[in-house]
Amino acid sequence: MSYNIRKRLKNVVVESDEEEKDFEESASDYSPSESESASSSSELENSSSESDNSSHVESSKKLPTKFRQDEDHTYIIKSDDYFSNCTKKKAVTSNNKFTDVDTSRLEQGKLQDLLSSYNVTVKHNKQLKQVAVENRDQFSKWLYILKEGFNVLLYGLGSKIKILNEFREKCLGNLPVLVVDGFFPNLSIKDIVTGIVNDILELSDNPTNVYEACDVIINKMSSRRNLCFYMIVHNIEGEPLKNQQTQTLLSKLAAVPNIHIVASIDHISAPLIWVNTQLSKFNFVWYNVTSFLPYLRETSFEESSIVQQPKALVLSSLNNVFMSLTSKTKDIYLIMVKYQLEHGKAKHYKGFAFKKLYGVCKEGFLVSTDLALRSQLTEFVDHEMVKIKRSNDGVEYLVIPIDNNVLQQFVDKHSKE
């Protein structure tokens, strides 16, 4: 009895699988007839009644296709989809700047008083004095190295102004010395060359071109072997001195046998500003003079958002540079200053467009070509009187990085002249 029931159930399952397979392959709308459905339902009812009387019935080994689950549901993320989704998001930016915050700033003198009033423990003070004594013990070595035709470069953690001043006072007191503060923002190679020609050599002829002036110094020192002078350069890698023109001219002067240079560096990447030809001319011997002293003077001229720059110093520096310019160059700069005072208060002020400035200067017969205007702007950029910015669409804008109040005083003074 049980064998017949199992055989009939097996036949029914096989027939249903074959019908389902044929239905899928044909992809047609198959609908069974009433007779077939009635017969199949009666057979199923009979088989189910008989299966209730049995103790165990074997389940089918293969389910119909319509009950099977799809196995390929994995989604692969493509890199193009990631970037396309990210680019759809609009970047939210703000025009607010930290410098626009209305907060009280420290005056430069107040900041210096706070920094100079630092206190160290007695133990730390003893260590600083011990380090200073060790550094002073190297003075005789430096003099010997300088006389042998080398130059001295000092490095290490801490300010080196104090140790260099002590070396100048104790070892170079009666000798001609030129001190260069490389951290001073308005310093240029022209000032250094002029100082050598006027103060050291006391020559009446001072060429305006720095290369010609440098050649005059080299020829004069080469012809007078009995004459020598020393240059002490604080922060030879400073912002106004780190350009290639200045370093090339300094290396040419350092190669003269009777010109001796004692310089210092503080930036960790300072040696990267020199190429091999410059290093071979400098001929440095490096000495570690770690002092652990704070950089008070070196950082006093740095721009800071919490420090109020003294307007008198900025105005005097601007006037000194302005007086050394030619008449046409002065007129060009005054045009830029007046334009910034008139339009600089706008919220989205970008600067004075170069093409617009060229048109104004050409109408005023100040320049004839844009190349001539660029040569005039180079002097402004070197003295940090103007900054050139380029927008996303390639337009060049000129901005004067000086407060409008100082510019107004500057215009009032020179407009009367």
Side-chain angles (χ1 to χ4, degrees):
M1 180 66 181
S2 61
Y3 174 76
N4 293 331
I5 294 173
R6 286 197 299 271
K7 187 174 182 181
R8 290 177 62 186
L9 285 173
K10 186 175 182 180
N11 293 333
V12 171
V13 171
V14 171
E15 288 176 0
S16 64
D17 289 341
E18 291 176 354
E19 290 175 359
E20 185 70 16
K21 184 176 182 181
D22 295 337
F23 175 77
E24 291 179 352
E25 291 177 353
S26 62
S28 61
D29 297 335
Y30 172 75
S31 58
S33 62
E34 294 180 357
S35 61
E36 290 176 349
S37 61
S39 61
S40 62
S41 60
S42 61
E43 288 178 358
L44 287 172
E45 289 175 359
N46 293 333
S47 63
S48 61
S49 61
E50 291 178 357
S51 62
D52 292 336
N53 297 328
S54 63
S55 58
H56 298 287
V57 178
E58 290 183 8
S59 62
S60 64
K61 296 182 179 179
K62 186 176 182 181
L63 293 174
T65 308
K66 63 182 179 180
F67 293 109
R68 297 174 189 171
Q69 296 179 352
D70 295 336
E71 296 179 357
D72 297 334
H73 285 295
T74 57
Y75 175 71
I76 301 176
I77 300 177
K78 298 180 180 180
S79 59
D80 296 338
D81 297 338
Y82 170 79
F83 289 108
S84 62
N85 293 333
C86 291
T87 53
K88 291 179 181 178
K89 299 179 181 179
K90 186 178 180 181
V92 181
T93 58
S94 175
N95 294 323
N96 298 329
K97 296 181 293 185
F98 180 74
T99 54
D100 296 335
V101 179
D102 188 13
T103 55
S104 58
R105 300 185 181 183
L106 289 174
E107 295 182 357
Q108 188 69 35
K110 182 66 174 178
L111 178 64
Q112 293 299 319
D113 294 339
L114 292 174
L115 293 176
S116 59
S117 62
Y118 73 97
N119 295 320
V120 295
T121 60
V122 177
K123 181 179 179 180
H124 193 190
N125 195 14
K126 291 180 179 180
Q127 295 294 332
L128 290 178
K129 291 181 179 179
Q130 182 179 357
V131 170
V133 171
E134 294 176 357
N135 292 332
R136 283 193 292 268
D137 291 340
Q138 303 184 73
F139 287 172
S140 58
K141 296 181 181 178
W142 300 353
L143 277 177
Y144 176 76
I145 289 296
L146 293 172
K147 291 179 180 179
E148 291 298 321
F150 297 92
N151 295 303
V152 176
L153 183 65
L154 309 181
Y155 69 96
L157 181 62
S159 176
K160 302 159 193 66
I161 292 180
K162 185 177 180 181
I163 190 70
L164 283 174
N165 289 337
E166 291 179 356
F167 175 73
R168 177 175 60 87
E169 294 172 359
K170 293 184 178 180
C171 302
L172 308 176
N174 299 324
L175 299 174
V177 180
L178 179 69
V179 180
V180 179
D181 292 332
F183 48 81
F184 190 70
N186 294 326
L187 180 68
S188 65
I189 186 62
K190 176 67 175 176
D191 300 328
I192 299 175
V193 173
T194 303
I196 297 174
V197 173
N198 295 337
D199 300 334
I200 303 296
L201 301 179
E202 298 181 353
L203 300 178
S204 57
D205 184 16
N206 185 10
T208 57
N209 188 288
V210 291
Y211 291 97
E212 295 178 0
C214 185
D215 293 336
V216 169
I217 295 172
I218 294 174
N219 295 332
K220 189 70 174 178
M221 296 301 296
S222 299
S223 60
R224 300 173 61 181
R225 291 291 183 177
N226 58 338
L227 176 65
C228 69
F229 72 89
Y230 295 81
M231 290 178 57
I232 295 181
V233 185
H234 301 288
N235 292 102
I236 195 173
E237 88 291 7
E239 190 68 28
L241 299 181
K242 69 179 182 181
N243 58 80
Q244 286 299 310
Q245 178 192 14
T246 301
Q247 294 298 326
T248 301
L249 293 177
L250 288 177
S251 63
K252 290 179 64 177
L253 295 176
V256 180
N258 48 346
I259 298 179
H260 310 292
I261 295 180
V262 182
S264 66
I265 57 173
D266 287 313
H267 200 283
I268 191 172
S269 302
L272 298 179
I273 66 174
W274 296 309
V275 296
N276 291 334
T277 55
Q278 294 172 353
L279 283 175
S280 62
K281 291 180 180 179
F282 275 123
N283 203 13
F284 281 132
V285 177
W286 298 55
Y287 282 94
N288 184 359
V289 288
T290 298
S291 63
F292 298 108
L293 296 176
Y295 299 97
L296 295 180
R297 269 188 73 189
E298 293 90 338
T299 58
S300 60
F301 298 98
E302 293 287 339
E303 294 184 1
S304 177
S305 299
I306 64 172
V307 179
Q308 181 181 2
Q309 297 294 331
K311 296 180 181 179
L313 177 62
V314 176
L315 183 60
S316 62
S317 301
L318 183 60
N319 288 327
N320 292 334
V321 178
F322 185 79
M323 295 305 295
S324 64
L325 303 176
T326 61
S327 59
K328 290 186 177 180
T329 309
K330 290 179 180 179
D331 294 338
I332 294 173
Y333 192 72
L334 284 174
I335 292 173
M336 298 174 59
V337 172
K338 292 177 181 178
Y339 182 87
Q340 181 159 319
L341 289 174
E342 184 178 355
H343 302 86
K345 296 181 180 179
K347 186 175 182 181
H348 301 287
Y349 176 74
K350 294 182 179 179
F352 200 168
F354 175 79
K355 291 184 178 179
K356 189 174 182 179
L357 175 63
Y358 171 65
V360 175
C361 294
K362 190 173 183 181
E363 291 179 359
F365 300 100
L366 298 176
V367 293
S368 57
T369 60
D370 59 345
L371 185 61
L373 179 59
R374 289 188 183 277
S375 63
Q376 301 287 351
L377 294 177
T378 302
E379 192 165 2
F380 298 153
V381 174
D382 291 342
H383 289 90
E384 298 185 358
M385 299 167 66
V386 172
K387 288 186 178 180
I388 301 178
K389 297 182 180 180
R390 189 183 296 273
S391 61
N392 295 331
D393 53 357
V395 179
E396 289 181 326
Y397 290 97
L398 308 174
V399 180
I400 301 176
I402 301 175
D403 187 74
N404 285 344
N405 296 328
V406 178
L407 292 179
Q408 187 62 53
Q409 297 178 18
F410 174 78
V411 170
D412 295 340
K413 178 181 179 180
H414 293 283
S415 296
K416 297 177 182 179
E417 298 177 356

